[in-house]
Each structure stands twice: as structure tokens, then as C-alpha cells.
Amino acid sequence: MNRAEFSEVWPLLSQACWDTLYMVGWSTLIAVVGGLPLGILLVLTDRGGLLQNVVANKVIGQLVNITRSMPFIILMVALMGFTRWVTGTTIGREAAIVPLAIGAIPFFARLVETAVREVDSGLVEAVQAMGGNTWTVVRKVLVPEALPSLISSTTTTVVALIGYTAMAGTVGAGGLGDIAVRYGYQRFDTQLMWITVGILAVVISAIQFAGDLAARALHRRAGRSGPEPRLRLLRTKEPKAADVSKAA
């Protein structure tokens, strides 16, 4: 591909990059907002959990498994009616966000469940012994202690969503997948197709590097501070025995 040809293609590639990042950004935000509480709920309602409810846990788990087991291209077709109701269309980047987010929520929820289960149960018991309720345990222990793993889970979700957007491009969602199929494959422009693949590889590598860097930084910070400072902060909120005797 010479310079003149590249100058003609570059506006398409730059717009496609923006469309891909737009779809991935909004889908990731919705997936985190929906998947984080869902994953925590799967842990809390499990056997031995703070909100133990076996029936609710099985129902939620089955819904998550069914959605995760469905191939994304089939999920897009199955949700076309719902997508049209939400966005008014089934074509374009806004329309693609709906199935992308719905497909990513259960995926991220399972990653959150795995991350939260790794939290030391002794910390949970310590907060409960200090009188902390379920919300306190979630806010002060489960989420902060699992934060490095949650960052890694978010990175994994973003990378998976970039692959999903490439598939969404085959049905008119736009983005780099659309460029690779419409201009690269259908017009037999192998060079353009490989340029698109290279851009996707660079974007994924950059996101993975940034996510790993953030997770390692949080892990080192947690390792230096440890759980004791948090527990001491919780203890300071408890009334001292001397204060209780004075009040009496």
C-alpha cells in the first residue's frame, strides 16, 4: 500500500478506531456496573455466605451460565428486538452496545465472583466481630481486598469486548471489525485487513499492559499496608470502655 492509498484509507481507520473504543468503553462501564454487584451477590448468597439463599444463588447462577454459554453472534441476533426497542435501530455502534453489554455482564460477574472468593475469610469474621453488617463487609473488606483482581478482571473483559466488537462489525456495527471485513475481506485487500489486525493487536497490548500495571501497583500497595490498618480504622469507630462508663 503506497502513501496515496494509505492517505485515503487513514480517515476510515481513524474513525473505526474511535467507534471501537466508543463501543468498548460504554460496554465496559455497563458491564462493571451490572456485573460487580451480581458477582458479589453470587458469593453472598452461596452456602455459608452472609446472605445465604441457595435458591436465589442457583437461579442467578443459571441465568449467568445460560447467557455466557451463548455465542455472541447468536446473542446479537436474539436481542435484535430488544436492541431496536432501546436504541431505535439494530445497526450502528449505539445498537451494538446493547448486546455487547448484556454479553459482558455475566462474563464479568463470574470473574468478580472468583476474585471475591479469594478474600481471606478471617478479615470478614473480624469485621463481623466488630459489629459490621453485610454492607460494611462488602465496602470495607470484600471490594478493597479484591481490588487488584477486579482490575485484572476488568482488563480481561475489555480485551474480550474488543474481540466481540470485531464480530459485531460483520453485522453493521462499525469499528475495526467492519473495516477488516468490508474493505479487507470482501474487496480482497489483504494488506488493509492485516493493517486492521495489527491495530487491534496494538490496542489490546496497550490495554493489557495498562491493566497489569495498575493491578501490580495496587497489589504492592496492599502488601505494604496489609489488612491491619483497615481493621484499626474500624476499631477506632467502636466506643471505648472508658467512654461507655462515663456515659453511664
Side-chain angles (χ1 to χ4, degrees):
M1 182 179 293
N2 56 41
R3 183 175 298 179
E5 292 175 342
F6 184 78
S7 62
E8 293 177 1
V9 172
W10 174 245
L12 292 174
L13 289 173
S14 59
Q15 182 61 42
C17 288
W18 167 247
D19 290 342
T20 297
L21 294 176
Y22 180 87
M23 289 186 287
V24 171
W26 278 106
S27 301
T28 301
L29 178 61
I30 297 171
V32 171
V33 172
L36 181 61
L38 189 61
I40 294 175
L41 193 61
L42 283 169
V43 176
L44 296 179
T45 57
D46 201 3
R47 295 183 186 276
L50 299 178
L51 301 175
Q52 179 175 323
N53 189 322
V54 178
V55 176
N57 184 269
K58 293 297 182 184
V59 171
I60 297 172
Q62 286 301 318
L63 290 175
V64 169
N65 291 338
I66 291 171
T67 309
R68 284 186 61 202
S69 63
M70 190 176 299
F72 179 70
I73 194 70
I74 297 177
L75 182 65
M76 287 189 65
V77 175
L79 291 174
M80 278 188 174
F82 179 71
T83 301
R84 185 181 290 107
W85 179 74
V86 173
T87 64
T89 182
T90 58
I91 299 175
R93 62 185 190 180
E94 281 77 15
I97 291 173
V98 175
L100 283 170
I102 293 177
I105 286 174
F107 178 81
F108 184 69
R110 283 299 185 189
L111 295 177
V112 171
E113 180 188 11
T114 302
V116 172
R117 287 190 188 280
E118 294 175 355
V119 175
D120 187 4
S121 60
L123 294 176
V124 176
E125 294 172 358
V127 174
Q128 286 182 301
M130 297 174 196
N133 56 20
T134 302
W135 171 243
T136 302
V137 171
V138 172
R139 187 167 56 91
K140 294 290 187 179
V141 178
L142 295 183
V143 173
E145 292 297 319
L147 192 56
S149 296
L150 293 176
I151 294 296
S152 297
S153 300
T154 304
T155 305
T156 302
T157 303
V158 171
V159 172
L161 281 170
I162 292 175
Y164 289 167
T165 59
M167 287 187 283
T170 63
V171 292
L176 291 170
D178 179 55
I179 295 294
V181 172
R182 191 149 54 96
Y183 291 91
Y185 176 74
Q186 294 179 353
R187 297 186 182 183
F188 303 101
D189 191 343
T190 306
Q191 192 173 9
L192 177 59
M193 185 171 64
W194 281 110
I195 289 174
T196 307
V197 171
I199 294 173
L200 284 170
V202 170
V203 171
I204 290 173
S205 298
I207 291 173
Q208 188 67 56
F209 176 78
D212 292 343
L213 191 65
R216 285 196 297 268
L218 286 171
H219 186 72
R220 287 195 298 268
R221 181 179 177 183
R224 287 196 300 268
S225 61
E228 285 302 316
R230 283 195 195 91
L231 296 182
R232 284 199 295 269
L233 287 174
L234 289 173
R235 290 192 189 101
T236 57
K237 296 180 180 180
E238 294 182 335
K240 297 181 181 179
D243 296 336
V244 174
S245 60
K246 289 179 181 179

